[in-house]
Amino acid sequence: MLNILILGLGQCGNRVLDAVNHEAFGSGGTFAKYYSRQKFPASVKTIAINTAINDLKGLTDTRAKDRFHVPHLHGVGANRALGKKVFDDNKEQIMSEIDKRGSFELIFIITSAAGGSGSSFAPLLVKELKKAYNAQIICIAVLPFREEGSIFLQNTAFCIRELVAESPNGILLVDNQYLKKYAGDIKSAYDKINISVARRVLFLIEALNSEMLMVTDLGDLKTVMNGGIGIGTMGYYEAGKDGTIKSAILGSFKPSGLLFPANVYNEGARAMLIIKGDKKYLDLDLITKTVEELSTDVGQVFKGVLIKKGRPKVLSLFTLNSVPELENLYAAAADAIRFEMDKREQSKKQLDDAFAHIDELEPIY
Amino acid sequence: MNGVRILVIATFFVFVLMTPVVVASGNDSYYIFDNELQVNEGITIETSIHIEVVEVKRIPLERAKFRITSYQRPERMITVFKEDGPQANRYETYSGASIYLDVIGVYSDSVQFRVSGPSNWRVTDYYDVDPEEGGGEVDEAVTVPKLKITRTLDISSVQQGQTAKVTFKIKNDGNGTASEIELDEPTIKGAYREGCPTTLDDIAAGATERVSYDLKIVDVEPGTYELNPTLLNYKSESGTSYSSESSSNVLVIVAEEVLAPELEIKLTIESDDDVIICGERFSVTVRIDNTGNATTGRITVKSHLPDDVRVAGGEIDPVYESIKPGDYEEYEVTMIAYEPGKHVIKMDVLWADEEASASAEFWAERSGFDKYYIYILAAIPIVLILLWLIKRRREYSF
């Protein structure tokens, strides 16, 4: 059985982790935690790490013992520089808390790239985890709504750069801005995004830890994540009443099922397909044929088939050769930084001009 | 006046003359005579009182028979037993003065005796008696024996198998010797007389005989028995037959006391109105009394409890080595009754081949708590669920 650690950093990472814990209870709803136990498909340990204690208190499905508060007032205020310092100050405690959970083969780090604690902790934590564990480290980085402000864009730009620099086994992007269109208001968008990410993560874990008809394993995941620039995303599709397995596979490649806007057929480097469903729906020949067709466009496609009751569900995981949307984000971030710099210089100049009026003057009483 | 003087002087002389007599009567230590006389010898005191030795006998009791004659008094025969003491044999003269006879020793044909009386009295003569003369005088006198018999028992109540001592005191109140005395003693059926004479020796006038025998109670049922009067048949010296009888006696015969232990066992349940609450402890005190008259051997107590009554504390079937008569052993046992209803606790005490039993009843009722038992049972899972929910909630509270 795989030993998996899921770390949720910062407010965003905490909530996605809480959604993972909630989904692990199955279909029991809000009160499932009172009478049921989490049914992780592998040996999964979770820790929510945050400097803001109120964010930790707001979690509902994560055990108290799995919430670790890094003491620094009530958060670092989206200040990554401060966040890095707080991490360095509490590095030993954080690593000790992780170490209590044992050893792992696979570690997920879920964090917002835009916030304070999560975006500043994540690159440093990747570095520490790589030193401490011989495990695959997959970062799930959530990109902000673009209208959230220039600081979040800056944080995102620098966080992603630092993450790539630390070379985790892979970075899976989740774009709030992209997914917002599939939800109504911001609140329901957040909830949907969190649940979507949680279900995909659990699907992936189940596939990696199960006896499968066609096998994908941790090695395949590593290979896939090594493809392209090491950045990718996940897609998902659940077949309808009249849908075929082929349509389900192709559906998981559609933009509507992806967590990050990408043209998989053009930009994809490697892919992994995990197909789950009742055996009667799973035509292996058709699956193989479809995967072969996709390979011509996407590159290497690993496939795994998991026999479970229900209609076919497909999880697709990609790494990309190029990420145009990320370029757009960095461009916007750069504009925001420049705009911020210009504005700050103007403000400073305006303030200096104002102060100039009283140069060489003394107060007279 | 002269007449008065004469009366006073005459009174004084009378007083003076009377004084030695009074003193003598109260002074027993003055012996007028203290010597030995042969049979048919006599002495004369103050020239008017004649005391003659008529006969002496040593068996069965030492005694001597005296014939006393004095002025204006009929002849009197007195039998004096040795050690009777002088006060038992008093002879009063016509003048009112008394003398006392006391036999000191009896020999084959003589007797040593003392005569005490007024201190100024003296033996004035010693003489021999002609037996023919003396006997002739006796034969010529009218002598009638009169025996009075008194029967006494040393105990009024006797156990079966024991012996009562019966004593006859026979006194001859007549002036003649009783002879050919036959004693007819009735008995109680099942009792046997040991040493009871049927005939007695002659009893002289004034003499007293004592005879005893043992009445052994052998096979007599317990009860109160009347011992009928003893009949005495006797004859005077002239051959006339007489009879007398004693009064009857009452003898209580009680059952023979058998030495055996007897145990009684008693149970005491300590509760209000003999009602016990199911499931609650209650005390039972067991007391074993030895009401017999012997110490027991090894004693075993055996209990018989209802199925739903359990011993919660204490030894219910102890073993005792012995219990002395009048003593007891007591112990306490704590029990619990589990089912409502009437319960009977029975206990046996066993010793030797004997057995005694006792039982005690009580009612067991369910407590008020039991009425809510079903609700409490129903509440337990709810409480457990609540506790579980609280625990789970705490697990998720940060």
Side-chain angles (χ1 to χ4, degrees):
Chain A
M1 181 174 279
L2 277 176
N3 293 306
I4 298 170
L5 174 66
I6 306 175
L7 299 171
L9 308 183
Q11 185 189 63
C12 173
N14 290 169
R15 289 184 179 178
V16 175
L17 179 72
D18 206 41
V20 170
N21 280 320
H22 179 79
E23 289 298 311
F25 280 112
S27 56
T30 307
F31 298 104
K33 64 183 177 183
Y34 293 116
Y35 61 83
S36 180
R37 294 225 170 256
Q38 290 168 316
K39 293 177 273 294
F40 282 113
S43 171
V44 175
K45 303 285 172 26
T46 63
I47 308 176
I49 299 171
N50 206 333
T51 54
I53 195 166
N54 285 337
D55 290 344
L56 290 171
K57 284 182 177 176
L59 305 181
T60 57
D61 293 289
T62 304
R63 289 173 189 270
K65 69 182 181 62
D66 291 334
R67 304 180 206 181
F68 184 72
H69 178 227
V70 179
H72 187 271
L73 300 177
H74 288 276
V76 295
N79 187 334
R80 291 190 74 247
L82 181 59
K84 288 177 185 177
K85 184 178 183 303
V86 171
F87 181 86
D88 282 335
D89 292 344
N90 297 278
K91 186 168 60 182
E92 300 300 326
Q93 291 92 318
I94 293 169
M95 292 307 291
S96 171
E97 190 65 27
I98 294 169
D99 193 48
K100 287 178 188 172
R101 270 70 176 175
S103 61
F104 311 100
E105 286 89 43
L106 178 61
I107 299 173
F108 287 100
I109 297 174
I110 305 171
T111 182
S112 162
S117 301
S119 68
S120 58
F121 280 22
L124 300 175
L125 194 55
V126 169
K127 184 180 178 182
E128 295 300 324
L129 289 172
K130 282 177 74 176
K131 282 194 279 185
Y133 298 96
N134 183 24
Q136 286 196 53
I137 300 171
I138 307 293
C139 289
I140 299 174
V142 180
L143 307 182
F145 295 115
R146 306 297 185 266
E147 63 269 26
E148 281 187 276
S150 63
I151 291 179
F152 290 129
L153 282 175
Q154 293 175 49
N155 283 348
T156 302
F158 287 102
C159 174
I160 296 295
R161 191 176 74 176
E162 289 169 16
L163 274 177
V164 171
E166 293 299 337
S167 302
N169 293 90
I171 299 170
L172 296 174
L173 295 178
V174 180
D175 192 352
N176 280 351
Q177 183 71 33
Y178 176 66
L179 294 171
K180 182 184 173 185
K181 63 187 176 190
Y182 297 110
D185 57 304
I186 294 289
K187 169 72 171 65
S188 58
Y190 276 136
D191 290 343
K192 279 198 172 185
I193 293 165
N194 293 340
I195 290 170
S196 295
V197 174
R199 285 179 179 169
R200 282 163 172 78
V201 169
L202 290 174
F203 199 145
L204 178 60
I205 291 171
E206 183 183 13
L208 294 174
N209 195 60
S210 300
E211 295 290 331
M212 299 173 75
L213 194 61
M214 300 176 92
V215 179
T216 55
D217 54 22
L218 204 54
D220 296 339
L221 177 66
K222 187 175 181 180
T223 304
V224 171
M225 295 312 295
N226 280 339
I229 56 172
I231 294 175
T233 189
M234 289 187 284
Y236 178 80
Y237 190 84
E238 186 171 340
K241 188 178 178 182
D242 299 322
T244 64
I245 188 63
K246 182 175 182 178
S247 64
I249 293 170
L250 297 177
S252 71
F253 281 60
K254 287 180 180 174
S256 59
L258 299 178
L259 296 176
F260 179 78
N263 186 337
V264 177
Y265 294 98
N266 295 332
E267 298 159 5
R270 291 173 187 168
M272 174 182 281
L273 278 174
I274 302 163
I275 304 154
K276 182 169 74 172
D278 199 297
K279 197 172 182 180
K280 66 184 178 183
Y281 298 117
L282 304 181
D283 183 343
L284 292 181
D285 290 339
L286 183 56
I287 291 171
T288 304
K289 188 178 177 183
T290 306
V291 169
E292 285 173 357
E293 287 173 6
L294 284 171
S295 296
T296 56
D297 297 323
V298 179
Q300 176 66 45
V301 177
F302 293 90
K303 61 180 179 299
V305 178
L306 189 61
I307 306 297
K308 289 273 182 178
K309 283 184 180 177
R311 294 188 175 283
K313 295 170 188 172
V314 181
L315 175 73
S316 56
L317 190 146
F318 311 96
T319 46
L320 305 169
N321 286 318
S322 62
V323 191
E325 181 58 29
L326 206 54
E327 278 187 40
N328 296 336
L329 188 144
Y330 269 83
D335 289 343
I337 292 168
R338 286 190 197 98
F339 178 75
E340 192 77 17
M341 284 175 64
D342 291 345
K343 203 171 181 180
R344 183 173 289 185
E345 282 177 6
Q346 285 177 10
S347 298
K348 189 174 182 300
K349 186 173 180 298
Q350 193 175 30
L351 192 63
D352 289 342
D353 290 346
F355 290 159
H357 289 292
I358 59 171
D359 281 348
E360 299 174 356
L361 294 176
E362 292 295 330
I364 298 172
Y365 301 106
Chain B
M1 288 299 290
N2 290 336
V4 174
R5 281 179 189 160
I6 292 167
L7 184 60
V8 171
I9 292 166
T11 303
F12 174 76
F13 276 103
V14 168
F15 179 77
V16 169
L17 288 171
M18 291 294 290
T19 299
V21 176
V22 173
V23 171
S25 65
N27 185 2
D28 296 339
S29 62
Y30 179 76
Y31 301 130
I32 300 168
F33 175 81
D34 184 5
N35 212 328
E36 183 178 342
L37 285 183
Q38 297 285 327
V39 175
N40 293 327
E41 288 182 344
I43 57 172
T44 303
I45 298 173
E46 292 295 306
T47 68
S48 64
I49 301 169
H50 305 281
I51 301 172
E52 298 168 358
V53 179
V54 177
E55 65 177 7
V56 292
K57 285 190 177 178
R58 302 183 67 183
I59 297 174
L61 296 172
E62 291 180 271
R63 62 186 185 273
K65 186 191 286 183
F66 299 93
R67 179 187 296 117
I68 306 176
T69 57
S70 65
Y71 174 71
Q72 289 289 324
R73 286 287 186 185
E75 179 185 285
R76 185 179 164 194
M77 301 293 280
I78 298 176
T79 300
V80 179
F81 289 86
K82 184 183 177 184
E83 296 178 353
D84 265 1
Q87 293 297 332
N89 302 287
R90 177 170 168 268
Y91 181 83
E92 187 176 350
T93 63
Y94 179 72
S95 65
S98 296
I99 59 171
Y100 303 88
L101 272 67
D102 187 16
V103 170
I104 305 303
V106 178
Y107 310 106
S108 59
D109 57 349
S110 63
V111 58
Q112 181 183 357
F113 68 101
R114 290 172 180 157
V115 179
S116 54
S119 60
N120 55 343
W121 286 14
R122 299 289 183 272
V123 176
T124 55
D125 189 21
Y126 290 86
Y127 62 91
D128 292 328
V129 178
D130 182 358
E132 295 297 326
E133 184 183 343
E137 286 178 7
V138 172
D139 289 342
E140 289 175 2
V142 179
T143 59
V144 176
K146 186 180 180 182
L147 297 183
K148 182 183 178 184
I149 181 167
T150 306
R151 183 177 59 192
T152 57
L153 284 78
D154 62 341
I155 48 176
S156 59
S157 177
V158 62
Q159 279 187 21
Q160 291 174 317
Q162 290 188 337
T163 300
K165 190 175 185 66
V166 182
T167 302
F168 300 109
K169 180 182 177 184
I170 305 164
K171 186 176 182 182
N172 187 349
D173 287 336
N175 58 1
T177 302
S179 60
E180 298 180 35
I181 304 169
E182 294 178 351
L183 189 144
D184 185 8
E185 172 69 347
T187 188
I188 300 170
K189 187 179 179 182
Y192 299 93
R193 295 169 297 182
E194 287 184 357
C196 181
T198 53
T199 59
L200 299 176
D201 293 337
D202 295 353
I203 300 175
T208 301
E209 288 285 345
R210 286 181 176 79
V211 178
S212 297
Y213 75 92
D214 291 333
L215 181 64
K216 189 166 187 177
I217 311 300
V218 177
D219 190 18
V220 183
E221 289 298 315
T224 301
Y225 292 85
E226 183 177 4
L227 202 57
N228 291 328
T230 306
L231 181 63
L232 273 181
N233 293 312
Y234 57 95
K235 290 181 179 177
S236 66
E237 291 171 358
S238 61
T240 307
S241 295
Y242 299 92
S243 65
S244 62
E245 64 180 18
S246 68
S247 58
S248 61
N249 295 80
V250 173
L251 181 62
V252 177
I253 297 174
V254 296
E256 185 178 12
E257 188 179 16
V258 179
L259 291 177
E262 183 68 29
L263 295 185
E264 288 181 0
I265 184 167
K266 185 180 177 186
L267 307 181
T268 307
I269 297 173
E270 293 178 13
S271 69
D272 297 332
D273 305 327
D274 286 341
V275 176
I276 303 297
I277 303 300
C278 291
E280 287 190 4
R281 292 169 179 241
F282 63 97
S283 294
V284 177
T285 303
V286 183
R287 176 173 167 143
I288 303 164
D289 282 277
N290 184 354
T291 57
N293 53 10
T295 302
T296 66
R298 190 180 179 84
I299 299 159
T300 305
V301 181
K302 185 169 177 54
S303 58
H304 306 278
L305 301 180
D307 291 340
D308 64 317
V309 176
R310 303 272 189 282
V311 175
E315 171 61 53
I316 192 169
D317 294 332
V319 175
Y320 299 106
E321 290 305 317
S322 65
I323 301 178
K324 292 178 181 175
D327 205 351
Y328 68 90
E329 292 286 352
E330 189 175 270
Y331 64 96
E332 190 174 290
V333 184
T334 307
M335 297 185 183
I336 298 175
Y338 291 95
E339 296 297 330
K342 182 182 176 182
H343 296 72
V344 179
I345 297 172
K346 186 170 177 288
M347 304 282 282
D348 296 335
V349 58
L350 311 169
W351 77 100
D353 293 331
E354 301 293 327
E355 177 179 337
S357 299
S359 61
E361 291 182 3
F362 67 89
W363 276 91
E365 292 182 351
R366 291 197 185 284
S367 68
F369 178 78
D370 285 359
K371 294 173 187 171
Y372 301 102
Y373 191 65
I374 187 72
Y375 301 107
I376 292 166
L377 274 181
I380 286 172
I382 294 171
V383 171
L384 289 175
I385 289 170
L386 278 174
L387 289 173
W388 171 257
L389 291 176
I390 291 168
K391 176 178 174 291
R392 292 304 292 262
R393 191 177 186 285
R394 287 172 66 92
E395 283 183 15
Y396 288 91
S397 294
F398 185 76

